[in-house]
Amino acid sequence: MERNFKDYALISLKGIAMGAADVVPGVSGGTIAFISGIYEELVTTISGINLGLLKEWREFGFSSMWKKANGNFIIALFLGIAISVFTVMRLANYLLENHPILIWSFFFGLVIASIWFVGKQIPKWNAKIITALVLGAAVAFYITTLPPITGTQSPFFLFIAGAIAVCAMILPGISGAFILVLLGAYKTISEAIHDFDFKTIGIVAVGAVVGLLSFSRVLKWLFLKYKAVTLAVLTGFITGSLNKIWPWKEILETVTIGDKDMVIREQSVLPQHFDGDPQLIFALLLMVAGFLLILILERVATQQANA
């Protein structure tokens, strides 16, 4: 695919959106990739990174290898993700701490629209497709109810955490950041990014690369062989994740880590049962804004595809 600078700038913007979603526990960057029209290219590109590229380099030169690896796409996308992670994470942490209902309402609207968008990609619905959707939703819902475990800061643990979380990050509906919370590694990694602790960041990044290269091959195979069922499972994943990002929660249990209290168990409640100001009007407006944002992203991706 021939692209110009404007095309790659747009891919970087999509990367920024993916990174912004990935740093929020409960929202998946894979969902953004799917909606913005680059999901299958991302999975195919990553799964194509192997030792065969070195042979391509030796026989035909660096330019041929770079083109075969879709290198410009990778650089543009991951540049956007990196920019987002090192900038948006601070803003996301501030908003989640100070305006949780409003930020979760926005993401709830975004995810509702994502369910509709991914689901409509399925050409024909039948009992097998519906079963796959229900199973995907059940698995995702169960994950959102799990309490975090107590993690460690050992290099091996951080390597494994990075490998597992990145697999979730490229799955629409499964939040990589939330997986890090469950593993007890989110605070360690977010502090490393905040403090520019490149040793910790590097260990997690190596784990993420290993996990990404391995899992992307599984995803590519699933899309080639069982695309409709895979889409149904992904739609279910996104649906099941709604429990995690429901704006109104009742806190059941917290634990103190350092000077902060971390919620380890909570349950969704209706706005009228929320202990505090439910901010219902603003929450509903932000839900609508999140929903409309997905429609806009879809239209932009469709226009780009038809250009």
Side-chain angles (χ1 to χ4, degrees):
M1 181 184 303
E2 293 296 328
R3 290 185 168 117
N4 55 32
F5 178 80
K6 181 181 176 181
D7 295 326
Y8 287 116
L10 182 58
I11 290 171
S12 290
L13 289 175
K14 293 175 180 179
I16 290 173
M18 285 180 63
D22 276 329
V23 300
V24 177
V27 184
S28 170
T31 303
I32 302 299
F34 205 107
I35 293 162
S36 60
I38 60 172
Y39 187 76
E40 290 196 49
E41 181 178 3
L42 173 62
V43 171
T44 300
T45 298
I46 294 171
S47 65
I49 297 175
N50 51 48
L51 294 177
L53 293 175
L54 294 178
K55 182 179 179 182
E56 183 79 15
W57 188 355
R58 287 198 305 269
E59 294 182 0
F60 303 104
F62 179 82
S63 178
S64 177
M65 181 275 292
W66 188 255
K67 186 174 181 179
K68 185 176 181 180
N70 204 6
N72 289 341
F73 171 82
I74 295 173
I75 293 296
L77 185 66
F78 282 88
L79 176 63
I81 292 174
I83 291 171
S84 190
V85 167
F86 281 98
T87 57
V88 178
M89 179 170 275
R90 300 187 184 202
L91 175 61
N93 286 338
Y94 170 81
L95 291 174
L96 289 171
E97 193 169 317
N98 295 280
H99 305 284
I101 291 177
L102 299 182
I103 191 68
W104 286 126
S105 296
F106 175 77
F107 283 122
F108 192 84
L110 186 150
V111 173
I112 286 287
S114 303
I115 294 169
W116 165 79
F117 176 82
V118 179
K120 76 173 188 173
Q121 311 296 318
I122 300 171
K124 184 179 180 181
W125 288 82
N126 53 41
K128 182 172 70 172
I129 296 297
I130 293 172
T131 300
L133 186 148
V134 172
L135 287 175
V139 169
F141 181 85
Y142 176 70
I143 290 173
T144 67
T145 64
L146 293 174
I149 64 175
T150 302
T152 70
Q153 296 187 21
S154 72
F156 180 72
F157 170 78
L158 293 173
F159 174 88
I160 296 299
I164 295 174
V166 80
C167 295
M169 285 178 182
I170 61 172
L171 272 178
I174 302 295
S175 164
F178 181 59
I179 296 299
L180 291 177
V181 171
L182 290 180
L183 293 173
Y186 183 79
K187 183 174 184 291
T188 300
I189 294 171
S190 62
E191 286 181 348
I193 293 172
H194 182 275
D195 299 334
F196 296 100
D197 179 358
F198 291 108
K199 178 182 177 181
T200 299
I201 294 170
I203 292 170
V204 175
V206 172
V209 169
V210 172
L212 196 61
L213 293 178
S214 304
F215 189 61
S216 62
R217 286 168 171 76
V218 176
L219 274 179
K220 180 183 179 181
W221 181 80
L222 288 172
F223 269 102
L224 285 173
K225 300 292 185 180
Y226 307 101
K227 184 170 184 178
V229 173
T230 302
L231 287 172
V233 172
L234 296 181
T235 305
F237 282 164
I238 301 172
T239 304
S241 73
L242 287 174
N243 179 56
K244 172 61 184 174
I245 58 176
W246 179 250
W248 299 279
K249 300 284 189 181
E250 177 187 0
I251 297 175
L252 302 177
E253 188 178 353
T254 62
V255 63
T256 300
I257 300 177
D259 59 348
K260 291 185 178 181
D261 291 332
M262 181 178 176
V263 177
I264 61 172
R265 210 156 57 88
E266 61 186 0
Q267 65 180 10
S268 301
V269 297
L270 294 174
Q272 60 266 34
H273 298 146
F274 179 72
D275 184 17
D277 181 7
Q279 301 175 273
L280 190 58
I281 299 299
F282 288 112
L284 292 175
L285 288 173
L286 283 168
M287 283 184 187
V288 172
F291 191 93
L292 292 176
L293 177 61
I294 295 303
L295 298 186
I296 293 169
L297 284 173
E298 181 198 7
R299 178 165 294 185
V300 169
T302 301
Q303 289 175 347
Q304 185 186 21
N306 295 331

